Amino acid sequence: MAPRRTPHSPRLGALQPLLLVLLVLPSMLPGCLPQEIVPIPGFGTPEKIAMAEKAALLAFAAAFRNHPIFGQYGGWANVSLGMSYETSRPCVQFWKWITCDEEGRVNSIDMDNAAMVALNPAFARGRKPEPLKGVIPWRQMRALGNLQLLRVVGNDVSGPVLPGIIFRFPKLKEIMFLDNKMVGPIPNTVSALKSLQKLDVSMNRITGAIPPGIATLTSLTWLALSQNRMSGVLPAALGNLRQLRKLDLGGNGFRGPMPPSWGALKRLELINLQKLNLGGPVPAAWLGMVSMKHFVAPAARIRGRFPSGLLRLSQISDIILYNNRLWGPLPPAGQLFAPRTLTQLDVRGNYLNGSVPKVPAGRLIDFKYFSNCFLPKPSPKCTRS
């Protein structure tokens, strides 16, 4: 006897129009790849997904065809098995520079120039190996939806640092593009990367301001934007990134004031504000940075008295404040050198006056204080009208 159909169990025939729409709709949307390239979740077979990911990796290799590792060395194909790109599978033959998860999905691409030189024939012959040159083909890589790490460090990769379609890679946890030739700005669609923990795009040619979306990435532990061409006011909203341990903004055109809200960054261990236009004192609220070890802010146009509050941070190791506009006397030696973790204090090139505190016997502290207004031989700049 056929099972009785309840009022809430529709016939299969009633679902057919809906299934048809789900299968056809993606191909009708602008910018979507065909079904055989990007399988629809729930309908794509593992084989189709694997082939789509393989096509994405081959598109990546084609974008950097200048490099020998994608030439006679086979690149990602496991050459030890004598297989071609056509016959091998990334997660079966363990293509170089990638890793896969337990489900056989590609989850990382790690292309560090220092790690690739061993496969470069120029390096083997004693010549300087060439870096990767090209543009990351983001649109051709959309099938890599499980990607968690993308690391391309120390190369000549150009093009946009992040595309507007970065939201198509929602599982990314690490983006490491240090030392390339990428341009900006960083799109606000970066806010879709809710799992992102590390973003390092230092030493590129990025422009524009820090987008508001970055302040919504509450899983971030590492934010490095230094040595670019960025500008704008330091966003107070970065104080929302409570997991942040490294904040590296130096070498850009950012300007102050320094947001007091950053004092909520209780896990922050390193801050780099080198060569920014801060134009004011270090906020007293930054005493809340209780994990701070490395305070680096040389040539940042900091004004006011020496920020003695930093000496109350129990883990402080380095205070680098040379070439700013600090004035007045330093705290007495008993206070200045009180932190047992302090190893470096650099206040050269300011307008500090009074006497120079002496480092206590037995303390190994690199204390630099020249070119100030200390007695008995103040710098000539101190007597200028």
Side-chain angles (χ1 to χ4, degrees):
M1 178 181 291
R4 179 177 299 176
R5 183 172 62 89
T6 66
H8 300 288
S9 58
R11 295 180 181 274
L12 180 60
L15 294 176
Q16 288 178 346
L18 176 61
L19 293 175
L20 182 61
V21 170
L22 290 174
L23 288 170
V24 174
L25 181 60
S27 62
M28 299 172 61
L29 295 176
C32 286
L33 293 181
Q35 167 89 2
E36 62 271 19
I37 301 299
V38 182
I40 300 174
F43 292 91
T45 65
E47 179 63 19
K48 285 185 177 180
I49 293 174
M51 294 304 295
E53 291 191 338
K54 176 181 176 179
L57 292 174
L58 293 180
F60 186 96
F64 301 101
R65 64 188 60 176
N66 76 288
H67 203 282
I69 66 165
F70 292 128
Q72 69 248 43
Y73 275 82
W76 279 320
N78 193 327
V79 293
S80 64
L81 298 179
M83 287 185 165
S84 66
Y85 280 138
E86 289 73 22
T87 57
S88 67
R89 297 291 183 269
C91 295
V92 177
Q93 274 75 42
F94 304 106
W95 284 13
K96 296 178 178 68
W97 323 116
I98 74 165
T99 61
C100 301
D101 59 24
E102 295 179 353
E103 298 178 354
R105 300 287 303 276
V106 175
N107 64 2
S108 80
I109 302 175
D110 192 347
M111 311 285 293
D112 188 331
N113 188 47
M116 293 189 295
V117 293
L119 287 181
N120 194 316
F123 178 78
R125 292 192 292 268
R127 298 200 302 269
K128 183 179 179 180
E130 283 194 26
L132 293 177
K133 295 181 180 179
V135 178
I136 296 177
W138 290 100
R139 291 191 175 276
Q140 287 75 27
M141 292 169 57
R142 286 180 291 181
L144 300 176
N146 267 31
L147 201 62
Q148 296 183 24
L149 181 148
L150 182 54
R151 189 170 187 264
V152 185
V153 175
N155 287 281
D156 282 351
V157 178
S158 55
V161 61
L162 292 176
I165 62 167
I166 193 64
F167 62 88
R168 292 183 178 271
F169 304 86
K171 296 186 179 181
L172 275 170
K173 294 182 179 180
E174 295 188 23
I175 300 175
M176 309 294 281
F177 291 161
L178 171 68
D179 192 13
N180 281 283
K181 295 181 179 178
M182 296 180 174
V183 296
I186 299 175
N188 199 46
T189 50
V190 72
S191 62
L193 306 182
K194 298 304 183 184
S195 298
L196 195 64
Q197 298 174 8
K198 291 187 177 181
L199 176 61
D200 192 338
V201 293
S202 300
M203 299 174 66
N204 279 278
R205 300 172 182 178
I206 303 170
T207 56
I210 299 175
I214 284 186
T216 68
L217 304 178
T218 54
S219 295
L220 271 182
T221 63
W222 183 305
L223 178 59
L225 309 175
S226 63
Q227 306 301 318
N228 278 290
R229 302 171 184 178
M230 301 183 71
S231 58
V233 176
L234 296 176
L238 293 186
N240 297 328
L241 304 179
R242 304 300 171 84
Q243 304 300 317
L244 208 58
R245 296 180 183 274
K246 176 177 179 177
L247 181 57
D248 187 357
L249 305 177
N252 281 287
F254 298 130
R255 62 185 185 276
M258 291 170 269
S261 60
W262 291 10
L265 303 176
K266 297 184 182 299
R267 298 190 179 188
L268 194 64
E269 298 178 3
L270 181 148
I271 188 168
N272 176 17
L273 306 172
Q274 182 177 13
K275 293 186 178 180
L276 303 188
N277 186 9
L278 300 179
V282 176
W286 284 19
L287 282 174
M289 299 177 179
V290 293
S291 300
M292 181 62 63
K293 297 178 180 179
H294 312 285
F295 190 92
V296 182
R301 298 189 179 184
I302 297 176
R303 296 175 179 270
R305 293 182 178 274
F306 177 82
S308 56
L310 298 177
L311 305 172
R312 295 163 57 185
L313 301 176
S314 61
Q315 301 184 52
I316 195 69
S317 173
D318 308 297
I319 301 176
I320 313 298
L321 290 168
Y322 65 81
N323 291 350
N324 278 290
R325 299 178 183 180
L326 302 177
W327 52 269
L330 285 173
Q335 179 183 354
L336 187 62
F337 304 116
R340 303 304 300 179
T341 53
L342 188 65
T343 59
Q344 186 176 14
L345 175 59
D346 192 339
V347 293
R348 292 171 297 166
N350 283 281
Y351 294 84
L352 300 168
N353 56 29
S355 59
V356 179
K358 292 184 179 180
V359 178
R363 294 292 305 277
L364 297 177
I365 298 177
D366 185 9
F367 178 34
K368 297 183 176 72
Y369 55 87
F370 301 107
S371 189
N372 273 286
C373 302
F374 293 124
L375 298 174
K377 293 182 179 181
S379 170
K381 66 182 179 182
C382 302
T383 59
R384 294 173 188 162
S385 57

